[in-house]
């Protein structure tokens, strides 16, 4: 992890100290700003107003793109979810919160319901309009993530222990077990 942070620090420093444009540098200033916040805790605050950089026309183009490419987007999102389950920063909060299930069918149904919720609400409205499905959904998801983050913070050192207990009955062996333990 130290190597990754070092690389990130160098990338951020390079972008912030550079007078180059996005195309000259290969890294945009927005990306550098995201990297700067990598070690800052998230406030989980839903914005009261749209960001100043919001281009509503470009947003509409993105929504049209989503609808034209729905199958590919759903497939890639499912693939990203599966890959995410191999990342400790992704699966440990799920295991800790009890949001996962040892029952494969129940877990599949949970993820399908999550997909229906997201794709049925996020791409059907304008999240900056109070009361619309997209805004209500994003606010709900934000609150759920804050709740889990608060649980993890409160648990302190017992976080890892509880995660380990969540996986104790799994019979994962060989290389898969090594990956999970790392």
């Amino acid at each position: 992890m130290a190597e990754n942070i070092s690389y990130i620090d160098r990338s951020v420093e390079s972008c912030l100290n550079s007078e180059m444009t996005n195309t000259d540098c290969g890294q945009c200033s927005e990306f550098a700003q995201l990297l700067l916040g990598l070690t800052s805790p998230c406030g989980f605050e839903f914005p009261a107003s749209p960001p100043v950089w919001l281009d509503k026309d470009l947003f509409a183009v993105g929504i049209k793109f989503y609808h034209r490419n729905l199958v590919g987007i759903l497939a890639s999102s499912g693939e990203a979810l599966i890959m995410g389950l191999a990342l400790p920063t992704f699966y440990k909060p799920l295991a800790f919160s009890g949001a996962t299930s040892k029952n494969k069918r129940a877990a599949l149904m949970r993820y399908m319901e999550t997909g229906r919720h997201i794709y049925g609400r996020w791409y059907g409205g304008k999240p900056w309009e109070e009361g619309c499905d997209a805004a209500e959904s994003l606010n709900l998801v934000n609150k759920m993530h804050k709740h889990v983050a608060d649980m993890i913070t409160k648990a302190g050192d017992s976080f890892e222990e509880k995660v380990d207990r969540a996986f104790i009955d799994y019979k994962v062996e060989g290389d898969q077990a090594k990956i999970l333990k790392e």
Side-chain angles (χ1 to χ4, degrees), residues 6 16 19 21 27 44 68 76 93 103 106 116 123 129-130 135 140 177 180:
S6 176
L16 294 177
E19 295 296 324
T21 65
Q27 295 176 317
F44 295 101
R68 282 193 319 268
S76 64
N103 178 305
R116 274 194 294 275
Y123 299 96
E129 292 180 356
E130 190 174 336
L140 174 69
L180 287 175

Side-chain angles (χ1 to χ4, degrees), residues 11-24:
S11 297
V12 170
E13 187 176 325
S14 170
C15 281
L16 294 177
N17 292 333
S18 173
E19 295 296 324
M20 297 179 186
T21 65
N22 294 351
T23 55
D24 294 331

Side-chain angles (χ1 to χ4, degrees), residues 38-72:
L38 187 65
T39 57
S40 301
C42 177
F44 295 101
E45 295 173 8
F46 194 78
S49 60
V52 294
W53 47 260
L54 175 66
D55 181 332
K56 293 179 181 177
D57 293 331
L58 194 54
F59 178 86
V61 169
I63 294 297
K64 287 178 185 173
F65 177 87
Y66 164 79
H67 288 289
R68 282 193 319 268
N69 298 283
L70 180 63
V71 173

Side-chain angles (χ1 to χ4, degrees), residues 133-147:
D133 280 350
E136 287 178 3
S137 173
L138 289 167
N139 202 15
L140 174 69
V141 169
N142 202 30
K143 286 179 183 177
M144 290 169 35
H145 286 147
K146 181 180 183 340
H147 176 71

